[in-house]
Amino acid sequence: MACFKNKNCIVIQRVYLFDTFELQKGWAIPTSFLQMECTFLDHLSTRIMGFYSFFLWLLLLFSVISSNVFTVYAFKGTYGVNYGRIADNLPSPRSVVTLLKAAKIKNTRIYDADHEVLKAFKGSGIGIIVGLGNGYLKEIAVGEDRAMNWIKENVQPFLPGTNIAGIAVGNEILGGDDHELWEVLLPAVKNVYDALRRLDLTKVVEVSSPHSEAVFTNSFPPSSCVFREDVSIYMKPLLQFFSQIGSPFYINAYPFLAYKSDPEHIDINYALFKSNKGILDAKTNLHYDNMFEAQVDAAYAALDKAGFPKMEVIVSETGWASRGDDNEAGASLENARTYNRNLRKRLAKKKGTPYRPKFVAKAYIFALFNENLKPGPTSERNFGLFKPDGSISYDIGFTGLKESSGVSSFIHFKVIGAYGWLGSSCALLLTTCITLVLLISAS
């Protein structure tokens, strides 16, 4: 609206009101009336323009914050589970998503990049680390283009609907029997990361490589732990790269395996988080009342000696077998229940370890299901928290998948989780904007 004053009136040049009404040019309206109207409209226009500028600034600030603060990390909370699938009796991936939602498990790892699994996890909000299998490493190490092809086929098409939060490059390579894989691990890791960087995915997808306890010379007491000399020449450059890109150190830590190998000298109560006298690390004067924390701190001690005191340790596998062969000490349903129940309680406290009290302990439990086709001793096929029908293997606080609660929870989470963090963030932004409008109107 343009207002031009003469002595007795204000002449309207042209006014549009939401594109539906026009005051014709030349209409004269009494000065006293339009002076009030123009004052009001000028004031409102100033307010609207001011709010519009502030809204643009808010959007800019939000975009900056979202690119930094709302980065997707591979692990949310402290508890996750490994979803192994070497079996012929498991439920469909979609049913697995329903089960995880019912159990409120927000993190999972798989050992490949199965497309049916990744499709089923779409919209679930569950963070999933995919595995680049050991058999791919030699090819991926050849060049970045090989890594790019793998990512474009197995990761990028499923983002952002499926929350692929990480790629585990190989599994338990260093310390294993295939020394050729030792040599190609770092080149493969670098090629995967470089391919993600070219696709602008490094703030979304973490790159890591989990290790077994075989990378250590010894781990008792925790403060004495060091990397094996033959492993160290490959481990240190790998850790240097992970330090540069901000990746944690993943370790597969099993008190069950330690106890099974030496039941005469290890107190099973110490392994199961039950009441016991514990151990005292004389060098650090730290007391440990459970083996899980001791194993984690052993990894921290080895990292310290290797020159990486600030690197976080995350347990990529831990668990207890509910059945085993006659020579597999400790493998029983009761011990599996006790270990996993107590571990879950320990992780829920969201506290650190004696050696690293400021680093909250995090772990992926092995495993979601018993895998009836896995080779090896009986224990290998009996680590599951759940049965194939979705019911619990033993009670550690999960309810399992019941038809009444499972279906409703699946529908609920499908709606809420469809847009991930973006939906909740936009809702927060919209709420802020509405509040500002109401404040402006009130003033």
Side-chain angles (χ1 to χ4, degrees):
M1 174 177 179
C3 300
F4 296 93
K5 299 180 181 179
N6 63 23
K7 184 176 180 181
N8 299 312
C9 70
I10 296 176
V11 179
I12 303 300
Q13 295 298 311
R14 190 171 293 273
V15 172
Y16 289 91
L17 183 60
F18 299 110
D19 295 328
T20 60
F21 178 74
E22 179 182 340
L23 293 177
Q24 296 301 313
K25 182 177 180 179
W27 282 13
I29 299 177
T31 304
S32 59
F33 175 78
L34 273 181
Q35 279 181 333
M36 179 179 67
E37 290 299 309
C38 283
T39 300
F40 171 77
L41 289 172
D42 286 344
H43 179 70
L44 180 60
S45 176
T46 301
R47 288 298 184 94
I48 290 175
M49 290 303 295
F51 171 71
Y52 180 71
S53 299
F54 181 75
F55 182 74
L56 290 178
W57 175 84
L58 189 62
L59 282 177
L60 178 62
L61 177 63
F62 179 76
S63 66
V64 172
I65 292 174
S66 66
S67 65
N68 293 281
V69 177
F70 292 106
T71 299
V72 178
Y73 295 98
F75 207 113
K76 298 177 181 178
T78 60
Y79 192 91
V81 67
N82 288 277
Y83 172 23
R85 306 188 318 282
I86 306 177
D88 61 4
N89 60 351
L90 299 183
S92 69
R94 186 171 294 276
S95 297
V96 171
V97 172
T98 307
L99 173 62
L100 293 174
K101 283 297 186 181
K104 298 182 180 180
I105 296 174
K106 300 178 181 179
N107 309 282
T108 189
R109 297 174 70 244
I110 59 176
Y111 295 89
D112 54 17
D114 184 85
H115 290 192
E116 291 304 311
V117 172
L118 297 179
K119 290 176 184 176
F121 274 72
K122 181 178 180 180
S124 69
I126 298 171
I128 181 169
I129 292 182
V130 300
L132 198 164
N134 296 358
Y136 291 94
L137 296 193
K138 293 179 182 179
E139 179 184 356
I140 297 295
V142 170
E144 183 186 326
D145 60 323
R146 311 294 177 90
M148 180 67 76
N149 291 338
W150 189 89
I151 291 170
K152 284 186 174 181
E153 180 182 352
N154 298 292
V155 176
Q156 190 182 31
F158 303 97
L159 295 171
T162 300
N163 182 14
I164 301 177
I167 299 174
V169 182
N171 184 49
E172 299 187 342
I173 299 298
L174 300 183
D177 296 330
D178 192 340
H179 284 246
E180 291 184 4
L181 292 183
W182 296 21
E183 297 178 357
V184 301
L185 178 58
L186 180 56
V189 166
K190 286 184 174 180
N191 285 338
V192 168
Y193 182 81
D194 288 342
L196 289 171
R197 179 175 50 80
R198 285 176 56 191
L199 296 170
D200 198 26
L201 292 175
T202 55
K203 290 185 178 181
V204 177
V205 182
E206 176 191 87
V207 180
S208 64
S209 186
H211 306 284
S212 73
E213 296 276 344
V215 298
F216 304 130
T217 298
N218 64 289
S219 58
F220 181 84
S223 64
S224 68
C225 187
V226 293
F227 290 111
R228 279 169 41 183
E229 187 175 348
D230 59 336
V231 167
S232 185
I233 59 175
Y234 297 97
M235 180 66 80
K236 286 186 177 180
L238 182 66
L239 293 175
Q240 182 63 46
F241 183 71
F242 282 153
S243 178
Q244 292 172 357
I245 65 175
S247 292
F249 180 82
Y250 283 90
I251 185 70
N252 297 340
Y254 285 91
F256 166 69
L257 297 180
Y259 176 78
K260 186 179 76 167
S261 66
D262 192 12
E264 294 183 1
H265 299 97
I266 296 177
D267 182 356
I268 194 168
N269 293 323
Y270 175 65
L272 294 175
F273 296 91
K274 296 177 72 174
S275 178
N276 66 96
K277 64 179 182 180
I279 67 158
L280 179 68
D281 189 323
K283 183 177 180 180
T284 60
N285 201 35
L286 294 174
H287 181 265
Y288 293 88
D289 60 12
N290 67 83
M291 187 183 293
F292 174 80
E293 290 184 353
Q295 289 183 332
V296 172
D297 276 355
Y300 276 123
L303 289 172
D304 267 359
K305 295 181 179 69
F308 301 93
K310 296 182 180 181
M311 185 170 288
E312 181 184 15
V313 172
I314 295 179
V315 176
S316 40
E317 288 183 17
T318 189
W320 199 285
S322 58
R323 286 183 57 202
D325 296 322
D326 292 339
N327 62 347
E328 293 188 283
S332 71
L333 189 145
E334 181 58 34
N335 288 341
R337 177 194 296 117
T338 301
Y339 178 80
N340 283 302
R341 181 178 62 232
N342 289 338
L343 174 61
R344 186 168 178 241
K345 290 179 180 178
R346 164 64 182 83
L347 295 174
K349 294 179 180 179
K350 298 181 180 180
K351 70 174 187 176
T353 58
Y355 192 66
R356 284 287 187 270
K358 294 183 179 180
F359 282 93
V360 175
K362 305 172 183 176
Y364 289 90
I365 312 307
F366 189 87
L368 188 59
F369 300 108
N370 290 336
E371 298 174 76
N372 65 346
L373 298 182
K374 287 194 74 172
T378 299
S379 62
E380 286 291 326
R381 295 177 289 281
N382 290 279
F383 277 88
L385 297 176
F386 296 92
K387 298 176 182 179
D389 64 359
S391 62
I392 57 175
S393 295
Y394 39 80
D395 183 15
I396 65 167
F398 294 130
T399 57
L401 182 59
K402 298 179 181 179
E403 185 176 356
S404 58
S405 62
V407 173
S408 62
S409 65
F410 173 69
I411 295 174
H412 171 74
F413 281 108
K414 188 172 184 180
V415 173
I416 298 300
Y419 298 100
W421 69 267
L422 182 60
S424 59
S425 300
C426 288
L428 176 63
L429 180 61
L430 180 60
T431 302
T432 303
C433 292
I434 292 173
T435 302
L436 288 170
V437 170
L438 292 174
L439 289 174
I440 290 171
S441 301
S443 64

